[in-house]
Amino acid sequence: MCIHIYCLDRPLIESSSRSTSGLPTVAAVLGALDAPAVPDFLKAIDRAISLAVRTLIVDLSRVDFVGISGVLALADAQDRATCNGLAMLLVPDEATAGHTLRATDMADHFHCFPSVQAAAEARRVELAAHDQLEQVRVSSAAG
């Protein structure tokens, strides 16, 4: 298993410091996400969490196998991201990660999208709506 971490404004270049662009950080997982890979996966996810600002997208589209231990690691990663104030979005390949998530009844536990771009756009819309609501709240409190 291998994980590439990058920010959407710098594709395929590993981020060396915390992104200030506000664009999602992507952790692209390659290979198998099984029991032997879980420690390396969680270590890489912790690094991605430390680099991310508001959003972490875990791209599983190039994973060729996800075991039950991998699903548990994804749930752990989501908890870690949430504790750090991040939204974690998944991009599962339907034939591998998607199948395992459905077979373990964990698909509803995650926010899944068909592509990194779709996940990033959905998050951009969500954050824009949140920012609008916050502006209305501040205006109402001041007036």
Side-chain angles (χ1 to χ4, degrees):
M1 184 208 53
C2 178
I3 297 181
H4 298 286
I5 301 169
Y6 62 93
C7 183
L8 279 182
D9 65 347
R10 293 184 302 282
L12 302 180
I13 299 173
E14 191 166 333
S15 301
S16 60
S17 63
R18 192 169 174 90
S19 170
T20 57
S21 68
L23 293 174
T25 295
V26 179
V29 184
L30 310 169
L33 184 51
D34 54 7
V38 165
D40 290 337
F41 171 78
L42 291 175
K43 189 165 138 182
I45 286 296
D46 283 342
R47 181 152 187 272
I49 287 170
S50 72
L51 296 170
V53 176
R54 298 177 98 175
T55 309
L56 173 62
I57 298 173
V58 179
D59 182 3
L60 303 172
S61 63
R62 294 171 59 193
V63 169
D64 52 25
F65 176 78
V66 177
I68 292 173
S69 58
V71 173
L72 295 173
L74 288 167
D76 186 23
Q78 181 166 287
D79 290 344
R80 293 174 190 216
T82 301
C83 287
N84 281 278
L86 301 174
M88 188 179 103
L89 313 176
L90 289 186
V91 179
D93 175 75
E94 283 305 305
T96 55
H99 171 76
T100 305
L101 291 173
R102 286 187 305 278
T104 57
D105 283 332
M106 290 293 287
D108 292 338
H109 186 73
F110 300 101
H111 299 286
C112 296
F113 296 88
S115 69
V116 170
Q117 292 75 18
E121 178 60 16
R123 183 65 171 154
R124 185 195 66 74
V125 168
E126 178 184 16
L127 290 172
H130 179 271
D131 290 345
Q132 266 187 329
L133 287 173
E134 185 62 21
Q135 288 175 357
V136 168
R137 187 189 67 78
V138 168
S139 296
S140 296

